[in-house]
Amino acid sequence: MNKLDILKQYFGYATFREGQEVLIDSILKGQDALGIMPTGAGKSICYQVPALLLPGITLVVSPLISLMKDQVQALNQAGIHAAYINSSLSEAQISKALRLAAAGQYKIIYVAPERLETHGFMQFARQVEISMVTVDEAHCISQWGQDFRPSYLKIVQFISSLKKPPIISAFTATATENVKEDIVCVLGLKSPQVLVTGFDRKNLYYAVESSGKKDSYVLNYIREHDGESGIIYCATRKNVDMLCDKLSAEGVAVTKYHAGLSGEERRQNQEDFIYDQSPVMVATNAFGMGIDKSNVRYVIHYNMPQSLENYYQEAGRAGRDGGKAECILLYSAQDVMINRFLLDNKEQKGEYTQEELDAIAERDEERLRTMIYYCLTTRCLREYILRYFGEIGAGACGNCRNCLREYEEIDVTKEAVRIIEGILEVRQRYGINVIAGMLAGENRAKLREYRVSEYASFGSLKGVRETEIKQIINEMLVENLLLTTNDKYATLKITSEAEDVLQGERKVILRQLKQIPGKEGSGTERKKGKSKPRKSDILNSRGLELFETLRYLRTEIAREENMPPYIIFSDKTLVDMCVKVPLNRDEMLTVSGVGTSKFERYGRRFLHEIEEYTGGMHEKFYFGEADEM
Ligand code: ADP
Ligand code: ZN
């Protein structure tokens, strides 16, 4: 068998995705490999396919126990012999697994890093041929990253103790240069094939909504996406409890997760979510590490997170199956305060000098600021994210809230000049509230206290509303004409680029939502973008009904087999079945995600259901052309 046969037969896919083939080929040639790919890009295939082609065993080191179980279940479903060895097993189970492994029972073995140095494991490793050691979540080896795990350093010792040096392949979604260098250097990769794929997740739609009524926004959203699975992240446990109660009072099948719940509750709720008993999860950021649920159709942030890194990671849990999914952030100015409070009260793990603590606080503040600007920008959200992670996007993606709204552009250069002059006049000592109030010529107690009426700039923008002045200041912040200090006073300063505005060499343009007459508040409705279609855009009503029927069957099988539904077949696979309407084995095998082994397990039952529904006729259940989804 070659790699394509394996992909088709075991995983049910016809072609490799961007980057997968390069890594697989280099591994098969015996070269070390490092794959840096965003969540959902398909890293697992990159080592699972060669693992089946290499002569010996592949060990996969992974820090996440729940993920190991998931992966092994999925592999077994696909007809691949795999096992995991970690602290969730008893000693007796571990010995048994190792015995079977030594007897050549498994091609792929997942193992926790702590396990590597145990006597039993070492003994096993010396008896067998280990062709490859794969290091998953490889950034955990770097002390630069946020997730450094000392136990990862054991991997190196372990590898060097093996009789024959194995191929090493490492994978991560963390792209910073420091982390990359660390992985290559600490793991001792020998002239590795390094592959970094784009960080863009094209199937994700991004939006920031500043609706005042977050609860009703969430409730409406869930109702409009009935039956779909989603995660709602809140900043605090209190918010989680409150929102979860409210939703469940409205009849939503919802569950929750935060560090204040007992271990048993957390386990149960997580399982309810994974098994789609409660498809909606309300949680703090404690939830999600190691959750591999592929059919999460939306991630809503009820509060703004503390950094864009956090946001991208949490939002990235949507749409792992490659199907269309939405990432929505509900922004309110209050969130900034909540986050400052959380940062001020953050407990530091480990011992730090005052200097180090200051540096950390400054870095946190800077990250928070980047996050705030994401919420404020009126330009392409995807572009903003990609730029932050060091990639240049296409300018306007056509699949985010900002790209799909209509804005009018207003030249506010004159106002910007007044703002810069005002900031300079007060010698860059005040924050946005004082500056905006002063320029508008307001007469609040706070402004009187600072005696702002004594400055020449007082009232220099009289007639412009204070909120508009703030909007312009925000735009100037986003454009790096102004900046704020990294302390809680957030004092406004001007940057060297502001000089160009004073010199008349640069314009400042404010983008404001176009108002449609008769439609208050909201901007123009979403234009039809070039985005990938949702399932309800692909399937007509008969098709959607078939989808529901198949989904029901999937739930039934999941229950019988005690297996998460998405491991049986992903949503995407079900949609593809509704498009292709397979009526026999061969047709079923052309469906994306249906490999031979899965067909043998479940194919007949799905065929039967489709046959019942269609009466054995090839009906068209979709609109227009069936594009690649
Ligand atoms: P990562 O580990 O990079 O987050 P996964 O390995 O979990 O991503 O893969 C994400 C999803 O993409 C899985 O559902 C997987 O089956 C699917 N996938 C991977 N490779 C392909 C491919 N070549 N064609 C279609 N789907 C794929
Ligand atoms: Zn965009």
Side-chain angles (χ1 to χ4, degrees):
M1 279 225 272
N2 64 25
K3 59 184 187 224
L4 259 179
D5 297 335
I6 300 234
L7 185 70
K8 181 70 212 143
Q9 159 154 359
Y10 291 104
F11 300 96
Y13 302 128
T15 49
F16 284 105
R17 286 202 189 139
E18 185 196 345
Q20 288 178 330
E21 216 165 353
V22 176
L23 290 170
I24 292 172
D25 287 344
S26 63
I27 290 172
L28 290 176
K29 273 193 326 219
Q31 187 184 1
D32 290 348
L34 169 58
I36 301 180
M37 302 159 125
T39 308
K43 290 186 276 297
S44 327
I45 296 269
C46 299
Y47 58 83
Q48 288 167 350
V49 168
L52 296 178
L53 290 165
L54 292 169
I57 294 173
T58 289
L59 289 181
V60 183
V61 184
S62 165
L64 304 164
I65 291 182
S66 57
L67 212 129
M68 286 187 205
K69 189 172 157 207
D70 228 42
Q71 291 265 13
V72 166
Q73 267 185 343
L75 287 170
N76 290 337
Q77 284 295 304
I80 296 166
H81 296 287
Y84 61 90
I85 295 178
N86 62 37
S87 57
S88 74
L89 302 179
S90 67
E91 280 306 318
Q93 286 172 313
I94 291 177
S95 321
K96 184 175 167 206
L98 285 177
R99 213 166 47 240
L100 289 172
Q105 193 49 238
Y106 307 118
K107 274 309 268 186
I108 303 179
I109 299 171
Y110 283 77
V111 57
E114 302 79 26
R115 186 64 41 193
L116 295 173
E117 56 171 10
T118 60
H119 179 68
F121 195 82
M122 281 301 308
Q123 230 183 1
F124 150 76
R126 285 206 201 94
Q127 286 169 40
V128 295
E129 177 178 3
I130 294 173
S131 297
M132 174 160 71
V133 174
T134 293
V135 184
D136 201 10
E137 311 288 346
H139 59 280
C140 291
I141 206 161
S142 168
Q143 316 209 18
W144 287 102
Q146 306 172 327
D147 304 317
F148 172 58
R149 297 198 179 220
S151 61
Y152 257 56
L153 298 172
K154 299 193 172 123
I155 301 173
V156 187
Q157 285 163 16
F158 171 79
I159 291 176
S160 61
S161 74
L162 293 174
K163 277 183 307 209
K164 192 175 146 209
I167 302 166
I168 308 173
S169 57
F171 297 88
T172 176
T174 304
T176 63
E177 200 55 34
N178 290 334
V179 171
K180 186 169 107 186
E181 280 168 16
D182 259 14
I183 294 173
V184 173
C185 171
V186 180
L187 277 180
L189 302 184
K190 285 184 259 346
S191 39
Q193 170 73 53
V194 180
L195 187 114
V196 186
T197 60
F199 263 63
D200 190 11
R201 302 264 319 271
K202 294 200 172 57
N203 59 322
L204 300 186
Y205 160 84
Y206 297 101
V208 176
E209 302 286 351
S210 4
S211 118
K213 300 186 186 109
K214 294 184 175 187
D215 293 354
S216 49
Y217 183 95
V218 171
L219 185 60
N220 283 337
Y221 189 94
I222 294 175
R223 292 216 164 117
E224 276 173 26
H225 296 80
D226 189 32
E228 294 185 355
S229 182
I231 305 175
I232 297 151
Y233 278 111
C234 301
T236 61
R237 296 176 195 179
K238 209 172 99 209
N239 276 352
V240 169
D241 291 336
M242 181 209 72
L243 185 63
C244 185
D245 286 349
K246 264 194 187 161
L247 293 174
S248 99
E250 295 284 344
V252 176
V254 58
T255 185
K256 65 179 174 182
Y257 191 103
H258 58 62
L261 302 176
S262 72
E264 174 51 27
E265 269 176 301
R266 274 181 290 175
R267 198 196 55 75
Q268 182 62 49
N269 294 355
Q270 177 169 321
E271 196 166 299
D272 286 349
F273 175 65
I274 288 178
Y275 285 75
D276 280 336
Q277 311 284 1
S278 315
V280 179
M281 169 60 89
V282 183
T284 60
N285 62 7
F287 178 74
M289 258 296 242
I291 301 292
D292 202 12
K293 191 175 200 290
S294 74
N295 66 338
V296 175
R297 292 271 71 87
Y298 56 87
V299 172
I300 298 178
H301 278 74
Y302 189 86
N303 302 107
M304 180 184 74
Q306 285 175 0
S307 72
L308 204 57
E309 283 93 340
N310 290 359
Y311 182 65
Y312 202 52
Q313 185 173 48
E314 287 158 18
R317 299 195 171 118
R320 292 188 62 137
D321 53 12
K324 190 170 161 56
E326 303 199 325
C327 308
I328 296 166
L329 196 162
L330 304 182
Y331 173 75
S332 73
Q334 234 181 353
D335 292 337
V336 177
M337 274 155 5
I338 296 179
N339 277 310
R340 287 238 158 77
F341 175 82
L342 291 174
L343 285 179
D344 283 346
N345 291 283
K346 189 167 102 173
E347 263 180 61
Q348 295 297 354
K349 293 178 218 146
E351 307 244 313
Y352 292 100
T353 63
Q354 191 54 44
E355 220 169 289
E356 285 167 331
L357 284 175
D358 291 347
I360 292 173
E362 190 167 317
R363 189 197 62 194
D364 286 346
E365 183 63 37
E366 196 178 315
R367 288 191 172 151
L368 179 59
R369 211 168 48 192
T370 311
M371 190 68 245
I372 297 171
Y373 295 168
Y374 174 81
C375 298
L376 297 178
T377 185
T378 53
R379 293 165 209 280
C380 178
L381 294 171
R382 185 182 313 273
E383 170 84 6
Y384 185 92
I385 295 172
L386 291 178
R387 261 176 199 279
Y388 181 69
F389 290 111
E391 262 182 52
I392 305 299
C397 72
N399 185 26
C400 76
R401 183 75 164 126
N402 290 351
C403 283
L404 294 180
R405 277 206 269 214
E406 284 189 37
Y407 288 92
E408 46 198 357
E409 307 209 321
I410 304 162
D411 188 332
V412 290
T413 313
K414 264 201 297 224
E415 288 80 356
V417 170
R418 294 286 101 78
I419 290 168
I420 296 170
E421 288 169 352
I423 293 172
L424 288 173
E425 195 187 1
V426 301
R427 284 178 286 144
Q428 315 193 64
R429 279 179 305 165
Y430 300 124
I432 188 168
N433 288 319
V434 174
I435 297 289
M438 170 179 87
L439 297 176
E442 292 289 327
N443 182 24
R444 291 193 293 272
K446 188 93 192 171
L447 297 171
R448 283 199 300 276
E449 191 187 311
Y450 293 131
R451 304 188 14 202
V452 298
S453 64
E454 292 171 14
Y455 293 107
S457 293
F458 181 75
S460 71
L461 285 176
K462 213 170 180 63
V464 184
R465 274 186 312 179
E466 209 178 324
T467 48
E468 273 173 56
I469 300 176
K470 285 189 183 172
Q471 260 186 340
I472 300 171
I473 292 177
N474 281 332
E475 177 63 27
M476 293 169 76
L477 285 166
V478 174
E479 288 191 33
N480 197 33
L481 296 167
L482 303 178
L483 53 82
T484 60
T485 52
N486 278 338
D487 50 36
K488 60 178 176 239
Y489 304 108
T491 310
L492 284 170
K493 309 267 181 199
I494 69 165
T495 70
S496 56
E497 292 180 47
E499 192 58 31
D500 300 343
V501 178
L502 289 179
Q503 299 298 332
E505 285 163 9
R506 176 163 166 180
K507 282 189 176 171
V508 181
I509 306 291
L510 191 65
R511 281 156 54 91
Q512 260 180 343
L513 279 183
K514 247 191 201 160
Q515 301 295 326
I516 319 179
K519 235 188 173 200
E520 247 170 79
S522 71
T524 44
E525 278 312 287
R526 250 160 85 175
K527 291 180 289 180
K528 189 100 183 105
K530 60 184 176 192
S531 62
K532 294 186 180 183
R534 311 179 56 81
K535 129 180 133 251
S536 54
D537 297 336
I538 304 167
L539 301 177
N540 60 26
S541 60
R542 286 267 294 149
L544 285 173
E545 207 182 307
L546 174 60
F547 178 85
E548 288 307 322
T549 313
L550 298 182
R551 181 155 73 180
Y552 187 78
L553 172 62
R554 182 179 69 178
T555 312
E556 215 172 69
I557 297 176
R559 225 169 270 148
E560 286 165 21
E561 307 229 336
N562 197 19
M563 195 71 75
Y566 58 87
I567 287 194
I568 315 276
F569 284 130
S570 71
D571 283 7
K572 236 182 121 178
T573 299
L574 295 190
V575 172
D576 203 32
M577 278 187 205
C578 297
V579 169
K580 298 205 171 108
V581 197
L583 295 172
N584 55 43
R585 181 176 190 274
D586 285 349
E587 287 173 5
M588 186 58 114
L589 284 173
T590 67
V591 172
S592 168
V594 183
T596 326
S597 157
K598 285 234 180 130
F599 178 82
E600 263 142 38
R601 271 167 224 255
Y602 314 117
R604 300 268 163 229
R605 289 176 76 175
F606 280 87
L607 277 178
H608 179 75
E609 204 67 51
I610 294 168
E611 167 131 16
E612 286 257 289
Y613 188 80
T614 59
M617 305 282 282
H618 272 296
E619 208 177 316
K620 187 175 161 196
F621 290 129
Y622 57 90
F623 300 114
E625 299 300 309
D627 298 338
E628 197 250 341
M629 280 175 297

